Amino acid sequence: SVSITTNGNVEGTSNNGIEATVDGQTKKVLICDASGVCTYEYISDAEGSATSIDIVQKSGNIKGGNAGIYTATNGTGNISITTAGEVSSNWVGLIASITYPTSTGNIDIIQKSGNITGLLDGISASTGGMGNVNLEIAGNVEGTYGRGIYIANTNSLSSGSLNINQTSGTIVG
């Protein structure tokens, strides 16, 4: 799996604060740091398209020009994001996307504290696969000019569920 843990501030002024994408078809993982420096790592055939993305923000702020946190996979792995601080951007605060039609991977976003904000949307979580999208919200989520939360399953054949559990905070869009 691709694992990224932050304990301080991360800022990408014109790029994403944190970016991790998995191309399960070509067996490449793209990881970009806040300065916009991107590296490709090749994954083994054994991991292949099942590579998962795990991002944990333990403290601090994550800010990006495009997205605070951007994750995407066209493989079958899961995306798991846990935030415990501020996540913001000039576009969408947090993006998680699975595009592979037969993917059984799930998207799990857990906001333990802090705010997730974007000028367009606060959170955009969507799957084109068969898995579930689960959001646990315990802070404020705001999309200044768009939606607080966009959650979708774009696969008409999917039996996956869309779940939002808000325990505190506000969702504004």
Side-chain angles (χ1 to χ4, degrees):
S1 80
V2 176
S3 296
I4 300 171
T5 301
T6 66
N7 287 302
N9 296 330
V10 177
E11 183 170 355
T13 53
S14 62
N15 298 296
N16 300 313
I18 294 175
E19 178 175 345
T21 61
V22 174
D23 186 336
Q25 311 313 304
T26 62
K27 312 286 191 285
K28 290 192 296 188
V29 175
L30 174 67
I31 299 174
C32 299
D33 66 20
S35 64
V37 176
C38 298
T39 58
Y40 279 102
E41 295 179 14
Y42 288 87
I43 50 181
S44 69
D45 286 335
E47 279 188 296
S49 64
T51 298
S52 293
I53 298 172
D54 300 303
I55 295 177
V56 177
Q57 176 194 30
K58 291 188 174 183
S59 63
N61 301 318
I62 299 173
K63 182 177 182 178
N66 294 324
I69 298 173
Y70 176 87
T71 58
T73 181
N74 71 350
T76 59
N78 298 316
I79 296 175
S80 174
I81 301 169
T82 302
T83 66
E86 304 294 315
V87 177
S88 63
S89 85
N90 295 328
W91 184 45
V92 178
L94 186 155
I95 299 171
S97 175
I98 295 176
T99 60
Y100 195 62
T102 58
S103 175
T104 56
N106 296 315
I107 296 173
D108 294 299
I109 298 171
I110 300 169
Q111 179 193 32
K112 291 185 173 184
S113 61
N115 301 313
I116 300 174
T117 59
L119 284 180
L120 181 59
D121 295 335
I123 296 174
S124 175
S126 64
T127 182
M130 305 301 226
N132 302 315
V133 180
N134 303 301
L135 280 64
E136 293 183 28
I137 305 300
N140 298 318
V141 179
E142 181 178 352
T144 305
Y145 298 111
R147 301 162 287 210
I149 295 175
Y150 170 76
I151 183 172
N153 187 320
T154 60
N155 185 334
S156 62
L157 302 175
S158 176
S159 59
S161 61
L162 304 174
N163 305 295
I164 300 174
N165 179 24
Q166 181 184 17
T167 59
S168 62
T170 59
I171 300 171
V172 177

